[in-house]
Amino acid sequence: PLVVAAAAALVAPSCDAVDINLGCPLPQAAAGKFGAYCERSVACAIVRAVRGAVALPVFAKIRLLDSLDETLGLCAGLEDAGVALIAVHARHKPEPTRHRGQRSEERADMEAVRAIASALRVPVIANGNTECRADVDAHVAMTGAAGVMSAEGILRNPRLFEARETAAAERRDLPRGELGAIALEYLSLAAAHPPEKWSVVRGHIMWMLGKSGKGHRCDFEHLGPYSAAQLRLALLDAASVPELETIVTNCTGVAGHDSST
């Protein structure tokens, strides 16, 4: 708790809130007893320590525990410790070796989110199964949550939270032309404001082209003239914005512009 509080104090001048991730399912989180494997008493102590160190709201994101009662107990403890908002990734904390593929094997339990939202005084944010705007509206209506968050869905469809006509709102993926225009707009921003790591730019474009799977198992919704293996290698080899613009144009049919200057 003291280490996290010191870190929060260090970044507080640049932040609007401190968000504590109690949902990480990776094996290293299990080994280190953090993320989804952080003990309840330690998690609550972290919130109290951070609350005492900064004059900012403290948020926490959790996963579902083995039972709804256990999850409600964790949420109540976090609320008593002073948390201002709880985001619920509505899938269960996996066994350390079962985190891969969990999204496809276990649908997020929005009924559990509804129970949590009705039991707490602080706002609850629903997370999971959010791939298009229709999902956002349905989850808010079903759970009574104060809002919805998305992880991979927003990477695949950057317009996910935009109010749209019914037919478009029910699409998981954007039409090719629309997606291509957004990808090229992103690349123009990346050229003007390059991130510290080039892999960030490449990663965003991979998601926009509909990436699924990892490594040699990668597939894509928008292949254009490439096979999945060819597109993956082309993306990995790309070392500049113009190269990625060419790939996006080939995959979506939307003409790019010269970013070399």
Side-chain angles (χ1 to χ4, degrees):
L2 294 178
V3 172
V4 179
L10 185 67
V11 301
S14 303
C15 298
D16 296 311
V18 176
D19 190 14
I20 300 169
N21 183 359
L22 300 173
C24 179
L26 296 178
Q28 52 265 45
K33 303 295 184 184
F34 61 88
Y37 308 93
C38 184
E39 295 180 5
R40 173 177 165 179
S41 60
V42 176
C44 294
I46 289 172
V47 171
R48 288 192 183 93
V50 174
R51 288 276 291 127
V54 301
L56 293 173
V58 179
F59 304 160
K61 182 187 179 187
I62 68 165
R63 280 177 173 256
L64 301 179
L65 302 182
D66 290 341
S67 71
L68 180 58
D69 284 345
E70 287 181 271
T71 306
L72 288 170
L74 170 61
C75 291
L78 293 170
E79 188 177 59
D80 290 344
V83 81
L85 177 148
I86 296 177
V88 181
H89 182 167
R91 292 182 175 90
H92 288 87
K93 177 178 71 175
E95 293 297 321
T97 58
R98 295 290 305 279
H99 69 286
R100 295 192 185 279
Q102 189 188 26
R103 287 184 180 86
S104 60
E105 296 170 2
E106 180 183 353
R107 293 287 291 172
D109 185 355
M110 291 298 155
E111 291 287 352
V113 177
R114 178 163 63 180
I116 294 166
S118 65
L120 298 183
R121 301 183 301 275
V122 299
V124 170
I125 303 296
N127 176 223
N129 301 352
T130 307
E131 297 183 340
C132 62
R133 174 62 196 226
D135 293 334
V136 176
D137 298 334
H139 293 166
V140 170
M142 177 183 179
T143 64
V148 172
M149 69 173 290
S150 176
E152 293 181 358
I154 197 72
L155 295 173
R156 184 182 295 272
N157 176 2
R159 295 181 67 182
L160 191 157
F161 286 103
E162 185 177 84
R164 302 171 66 83
E165 63 274 13
T166 302
E170 294 176 353
R171 290 183 62 95
R172 176 188 178 201
D173 295 304
L174 294 172
R176 282 206 319 162
E178 188 174 348
L179 181 141
I182 292 172
L184 292 175
E185 180 184 359
Y186 166 72
L187 286 172
S188 70
L189 292 169
H193 309 283
E196 291 185 9
K197 294 183 178 180
W198 171 249
S199 59
V200 171
V201 181
R202 182 192 297 119
H204 275 298
I205 293 301
M206 292 178 83
W207 278 111
M208 290 186 204
L209 294 179
K211 183 190 81 165
S212 59
K214 296 189 69 175
H216 293 287
R217 300 188 302 277
C218 267
D219 202 354
F220 300 87
E221 292 287 332
H222 304 284
L223 288 169
Y226 307 95
S227 69
Q230 289 171 335
L231 179 54
R232 174 178 174 271
L233 289 176
L235 289 164
L236 291 176
D237 287 342
S240 68
V241 166
E243 289 180 70
L244 287 179
E245 284 182 334
T246 299
I247 293 171
V248 168
T249 297
N250 289 339
C251 289
T252 65
V254 176
H257 61 279
D258 184 5
S259 297
S260 59
T261 58

